Amino acid sequence: MGKITGFMEFRRLSEHSLPVAERLKNYQEFIPRLSDQQTSVQGSRCMDCGIPFCTTGCPVNNIIPDWNDLVYRGNWKQALDVLHSTNNFPEFTGRICPAPCEAACTLTINDDAVGIKSIEHAIIDKGWEEGWVTPQPAQTKSGKRIAVVGSGPAGLACAQQLARVGHDVVVFEKNDRIGGLLRYGIPDFKLEKSHIDRRIEQMRAEGVEFRVEQHIGVQVSAQKLKDEFDAVVLTGGAEQPRDLPVPGRELQGVHFAMEFLPQQNRVVAGDVVPDQIKATGKHVVVIGGGDTGSDCVGTSNRQGAASVTQFEVMPRPPEQENKPLIWPYWPMKLRTSSSHDEGCHRDWAVATKELTGNNGKVEKLHAVRVEWKDGKMQEVPGSEIEMKADLVLLAMGFVSPVPQILEAFGVEKDGRGNAKAVTDGAGYYQTSVDKVFAAGDMRRGQSLVVWAIREGRQAARAVDEYLMGSSSLPL
C-alpha cells in the first residue's frame, strides 16, 4: 500500500494550526486540511504491513490502507467512495475523533504513525469542494416507517442508512436544531456547524424527515411512536453528568460543562442567550481532565477568562506509552490539546474538598493532593490547596442517558443505567420492548463519535433485518 519505501523516505506531516493569538479572536475552525500534494505524500507512508491493525483499531473499520493508496496515486474520488463505504460522516471524525486507528498503525511501533486522520480530513473536504458528495435516494420504497429518537451521530448514521434502503425515516430531536451533541456539545472551533447542516440537506434529499423540539416522553408520548411506526431506534446521548458532592456545590458560579458549552454554541449560531454563563474576566477552574474539560478551557479562553486551571483526580499520565506492552491498543499517555496550548494551568492527582464564597457566589476552591495505593485514593497529609475560583465547571464525564426516555418506553436498563441490548447474535440492538432498538451512547454509555456512527450503522442493519427478513446494509 502506498509507496513501498514511502515510510522510510518521508516524515509525518501534521496539519498546521493558526497562531493562538489569531484563533482566540473567534470560534471558527483553525486547522485547515493538508494540500493535495501533502496528502499524497502522507498516503505514501502507509506500509505494506500485511495485517492492517489500523482497520481493527478504527471502530467503524475504515478501509484505511486502500484510501491511503488511492490518495497517493491521485484517485481522490475513488478514495472518497471507499471512505464513505464504512463511515457516513468522515468530516465529523476527521475533525474530532481521537484517532485510535493511528495508535494501532504498524508504523507507530518504532516511528510516527501514518497521519490517517489528516488524510481522512483531506479526502472528505476535497469531496465537498468537488461536488462529489450527493444525495443517494432509494430507488424503491419499503412502505415501512421508522422513528429515530436523537439526532446525534448515531441517530443520523442510522437514519441515513435506513433511508437509503427505502424506509421512511423520521428523526426526533428535543432541541431546536438537529445535531445532538455534535451541535450543542462540541465547540464551533472544533466542528463548525455548517458541516452538520449540509449533511442534513443531503439526508432530506434522501427522504429523511426531521422534527425538532420533540422531546419524547414529554411533548410526544413513547406510546404514540410505538403506535405510529414499525420500529423505533433510541439513539440519544449519555447526558446525565457526574456531579461533585462537596460543600458549596450549590453556590452560584458552579455549573456542569453541558450548561456552559451549549450556550456559547447558541450565541455563535446567532441566538440571544439571557444570563449567559461566561468566563470573561473570571478565574475559571475546570474539574475533569478529558475532552469536555478541554472544550471548557478553549471556550473560556475565547471568552477572555482571567485565568484557567484544569484539575484531574487521576495521576499524571506518562509522556510516552510503553509501546511494546500497549500496541496496537489505545495507550494511556499525556495528551495536550490545542485548547491547552492556548493557555491553561493543568494539575493532576487533585481532589476538590469544598467550595466557598460570599453572598451565595463561589469565590474559592479548596482541594487536596491525592495518591493512589492498591487501587484506592488517599489524601496526602499537608497538601491542601486553596485558589481563586469565580467560575467552576464540572467536566467529570457522564454516567448514563437521561433516564426519563428509557422509562417512558419501559426499556430494561443495564447495571450502568443504559438501555440493555446486545450487539451480536439474534435480536442484536433490540431492547426488552418489542420493535424498540437502542444504539450509540444510549446503549453503550459515554463514548466517541466514531463509536456512535458504528452503532448507528449496525442498528440500521438490525432494524432492516427485523422489518424485511434480510438486509443489504453492511454490518
Side-chain angles (χ1 to χ4, degrees):
M1 297 298 173
K3 186 177 182 181
I4 295 298
T5 56
F7 70 96
M8 296 186 289
E9 296 179 33
F10 305 112
R11 304 305 306 163
R12 176 186 170 108
L13 176 64
S14 298
E15 294 169 313
H16 166 71
S17 297
L18 298 180
V20 169
E22 183 176 341
R23 69 197 198 215
L24 284 179
K25 295 176 181 177
N26 55 59
Y27 292 86
Q28 298 169 359
E29 291 180 11
F30 52 84
I31 304 178
R33 76 170 180 89
L34 298 178
S35 69
D36 290 6
Q37 175 60 27
Q38 289 171 330
T39 308
S40 177
V41 169
Q42 292 305 297
S44 77
R45 295 186 69 238
C46 188
M47 305 170 67
D48 187 7
C49 59
I51 300 175
F53 290 94
C54 57
T55 297
T56 54
C58 170
V60 292
N61 301 128
N62 276 330
I63 312 171
I64 294 162
D66 288 30
W67 41 261
N68 281 341
D69 182 63
L70 289 164
V71 166
Y72 163 60
R73 300 181 189 283
N75 298 324
W76 284 84
K77 193 172 187 302
Q78 191 176 353
L80 179 65
D81 291 339
V82 174
L83 179 54
H84 268 147
S85 71
T86 56
N87 185 352
N88 296 67
F89 312 118
E91 62 270 44
F92 303 162
T93 52
R95 285 169 166 81
I96 61 175
C97 180
C101 54
E102 294 187 13
C105 174
T106 302
L107 190 54
T108 200
I109 293 174
N110 62 352
D111 202 345
D112 293 329
V114 174
I116 299 167
K117 181 178 174 180
S118 63
I119 297 171
E120 179 181 26
H121 182 182
I123 293 171
I124 184 57
D125 279 19
K126 185 175 179 66
W128 282 108
E129 292 162 10
E130 298 291 337
W132 296 335
V133 184
T134 58
Q136 300 177 35
Q139 298 303 307
T140 59
K141 287 289 191 178
S142 68
K144 303 293 186 180
R145 300 185 73 231
I146 302 160
V148 175
V149 180
S151 67
L156 292 179
C158 183
Q160 185 167 63
Q161 293 294 94
L162 289 168
R164 287 179 173 179
V165 290
H167 302 304
D168 292 322
V169 183
V170 180
V171 176
F172 293 83
E173 169 58 50
K174 70 175 184 294
N175 287 309
D176 58 344
R177 294 182 178 93
I178 295 296
L181 291 174
L182 291 170
R183 175 77 65 180
Y184 288 129
I186 296 173
D188 291 73
F189 55 80
K190 288 176 65 175
L191 179 72
E192 291 183 6
K193 307 317 172 193
S194 58
H195 302 300
I196 306 172
D197 294 336
R198 61 187 178 186
R199 280 295 182 182
I200 292 169
E201 291 309 307
Q202 179 197 35
M203 292 174 64
R204 281 199 175 107
E206 294 171 346
V208 178
E209 179 186 346
F210 295 98
R211 300 182 189 176
V212 297
E213 297 181 324
Q214 300 286 299
H215 197 167
I216 308 305
V218 179
Q219 291 143 318
V220 181
S221 74
Q223 189 60 49
K224 181 178 174 65
L225 262 61
K226 289 192 286 184
D227 291 343
E228 294 185 3
F229 291 88
D230 298 293
V232 178
V233 192
L234 307 179
T235 62
E239 297 181 277
Q240 191 76 21
R242 183 174 284 107
D243 208 341
L244 182 69
V246 298
R249 168 64 180 89
E250 75 286 351
L251 291 171
Q252 294 179 38
V254 184
H255 301 276
F256 288 119
M258 288 306 296
E259 295 174 318
F260 172 69
L261 295 173
Q263 290 189 353
Q264 185 58 55
N265 287 11
R266 290 183 180 278
V267 171
V268 173
D271 294 350
V272 175
V273 178
D275 301 319
Q276 181 187 357
I277 303 165
K278 296 197 72 172
T280 310
K282 296 179 180 177
H283 297 282
V284 180
V285 179
V286 179
I287 301 176
D291 288 340
T292 303
S294 172
D295 293 344
C296 291
V297 170
T299 301
S300 296
N301 280 322
R302 281 163 178 75
Q303 291 181 351
S307 68
V308 183
T309 301
Q310 185 178 23
F311 288 146
E312 168 59 52
V313 73
M314 298 300 293
R316 180 182 174 122
E319 295 281 344
Q320 292 294 330
E321 72 273 29
N322 185 340
K323 289 184 179 180
L325 178 66
I326 299 298
W327 181 88
Y329 301 107
W330 183 247
M332 177 63 70
K333 66 177 181 179
L334 181 64
R335 303 179 193 279
T336 299
S337 73
S338 59
S339 293
H340 296 138
D341 290 335
E342 293 163 1
C344 175
H345 171 69
R346 304 167 73 189
D347 207 347
W348 290 264
V350 174
T352 302
K353 296 289 290 182
E354 185 180 11
L355 302 166
T356 59
N358 285 308
N359 300 318
K361 296 182 179 180
V362 68
E363 291 183 353
K364 290 184 179 180
L365 180 144
H366 307 265
V368 64
R369 296 200 175 277
V370 297
E371 57 185 1
W372 294 81
K373 292 183 178 179
D374 300 323
K376 296 181 179 181
M377 185 178 74
Q378 299 179 0
E379 296 182 6
V380 178
S383 65
E384 290 78 10
I385 300 169
E386 180 182 296
M387 64 182 304
K388 288 184 178 180
D390 307 310
L391 176 62
V392 178
L393 299 172
L394 308 181
M396 302 174 294
F398 303 86
V399 295
S400 69
V402 176
Q404 289 87 338
I405 188 167
L406 299 181
E407 291 165 2
F409 281 94
V411 168
E412 183 181 353
K413 303 175 190 176
D414 65 15
R416 297 181 299 154
N418 305 317
K420 188 174 182 180
V422 298
T423 59
D424 54 11
Y428 62 117
Y429 288 100
Q430 292 189 44
T431 70
S432 58
V433 178
D434 182 43
K435 75 179 184 180
V436 177
F437 295 72
D441 287 6
M442 187 72 72
R443 191 204 67 82
R444 67 181 291 118
Q446 178 190 4
S447 192
L448 305 176
V449 62
V450 68
W451 273 107
I453 292 172
R454 172 196 173 112
E455 294 219 346
R457 287 170 60 89
Q458 291 186 336
R461 180 184 169 100
V463 172
D464 193 32
E465 286 182 355
Y466 170 80
L467 295 175
M468 309 302 292
S470 63
S471 178
S472 60
L473 289 171
L475 186 58

